[in-house]
Amino acid sequence: MSAFANQLPIGLSIGAVLLLIALGLTFTFGQMGVINMAHGEFIMAGAYTAFLLGDLVPALPAAFLVAGTMGLILERAAIRHFYGRPLDTLLLTWGVSLVLQQLARDLFGAPNVQVPAPAWLSGGVGILPYNRLFIMGLAVAGVVAVWAYLTRTRLGRRTQAVVQNRRLAATSGIDTGRVDMLTFFVGSGLAGVAGVALTLIGPVGPALGTYYIVDAFLVVVAGGLGQLRGAVLAAAGLGLLNSYAEFWSDASLAKVIVLAAVIAFLQVRPQGMFVLRSRALT
């Protein structure tokens, strides 16, 4: 029973990391129709930023800026030419992800590296280690920040207008190109923060992002495209399911179980947990 209980913080921390990753994908994939396979490499960039700095506190804003800038460059240089063509964005960003992985191997080497956790994260409260609690706190802070940005700022309201109806927003005078740039910057930056969080769980390597990107897409789809609350619930559910499935079997079989569970859920609710409500002319 103690081993079973110990899986709870592991599952919640995995769900917290998936949530940080999915917050960015919720808009780039769920609302803008861009399948960004290079999102995983922004996670890797954030993790290597923490490795270079060696200190968790300055690594968080630095990773946000590094990964956000990478996303901004990708959007301006390539993705903006492929809006409305999701399959083309998939192929494009998949190629970019391979290039970034090879670049990481050239810069840091192929073997994984370990980022030491700060001393103040050693220990824990009951079955909850401080490092896992810190990751959950990051996810909560990320959700609150995204919610506040979308509902309390002018740029956030413009973002919601664009993702709900891009053409109507453009005819209303909103600079959709600027909104796209900002969306990619924030979403990619959150992936970088997730990369820093992952350094508290395990080693860092060039292929780090590939282990989480598919699960993050599953979170977005299961939660409902563009739905923040759906992403929160789906991330927690998939994190716990993956943790306990791996406890009962192994890592490979756990991935199969998670995928099968999502497919079964989508057979019942193909639109996900929540649906974006909008008015339509009838």
Side-chain angles (χ1 to χ4, degrees):
M1 291 299 297
S2 61
F4 183 84
N6 288 336
Q7 294 301 117
L8 178 62
I10 296 175
L12 290 176
S13 59
I14 293 174
V17 171
L18 290 177
L19 179 57
L20 284 171
I21 302 170
L23 285 176
L25 291 176
T26 295
F27 298 102
T28 58
F29 171 59
Q31 295 294 335
M32 300 170 71
V34 175
I35 305 177
N36 184 12
M37 297 303 295
H39 200 74
E41 279 53 59
F42 302 151
I43 303 170
M44 177 260 293
Y48 274 118
T49 300
F51 170 71
L52 291 175
L53 294 179
D55 191 339
L56 184 66
V57 176
L60 288 171
F64 182 89
L65 290 175
V66 169
T69 302
M70 291 174 62
L72 184 62
I73 293 173
L74 177 61
E75 193 276 336
R76 287 290 89 187
I79 289 180
R80 68 189 180 98
H81 301 293
F82 293 90
Y83 283 131
R85 298 157 60 183
L87 293 181
D88 290 341
T89 61
L90 185 151
L91 293 175
L92 170 68
T93 55
W94 179 63
V96 171
S97 72
L98 295 179
V99 172
L100 292 177
Q101 287 181 39
Q102 186 57 49
L103 180 61
R105 293 187 183 94
D106 294 338
L107 293 175
F108 303 101
N112 291 346
V113 296
Q114 189 72 43
V115 180
W120 50 274
L121 285 181
S122 60
V125 179
I127 63 172
L128 295 173
Y130 287 142
N131 61 341
R132 304 279 179 174
L133 285 172
F134 182 80
I135 294 173
M136 297 175 207
L138 276 180
V140 172
V143 171
V144 172
V146 170
W147 174 83
Y149 165 74
L150 290 175
T151 60
R152 296 293 185 268
T153 67
R154 179 179 297 179
L155 286 174
R157 290 190 288 271
R158 289 180 177 179
T159 300
Q160 293 189 75
V162 171
V163 297
Q164 290 183 27
N165 193 319
R166 176 179 294 270
R167 291 185 177 179
L168 182 59
T171 58
S172 301
I174 295 177
D175 187 349
T176 58
R178 183 184 179 190
V179 171
D180 293 337
M181 291 170 56
L182 187 60
T183 300
F184 261 86
F185 178 79
V186 173
S188 303
L190 289 171
V193 173
V196 177
L198 284 173
T199 64
L200 299 174
I201 297 178
V204 176
L208 175 67
T210 60
Y211 302 135
Y212 295 93
I213 186 64
V214 174
D215 287 348
F217 273 112
L218 293 179
V219 168
V220 175
V221 174
L225 300 183
Q227 297 298 302
L228 187 59
R229 56 180 176 171
V232 173
L233 295 176
L238 290 184
L240 289 171
L241 177 60
N242 185 81
S243 175
Y244 283 106
E246 190 170 335
F247 174 71
W248 286 319
S249 56
D250 55 49
S252 299
L253 185 57
K255 293 292 185 183
V256 175
I257 293 173
V258 169
L259 180 60
V262 172
I263 292 175
F265 173 77
L266 293 177
Q267 295 300 310
V268 179
R269 288 189 64 84
Q271 74 276 23
M273 292 182 183
F274 301 99
V275 182
L276 181 65
R277 297 183 181 273
S278 61
R279 294 182 179 181
L281 296 175
T282 57

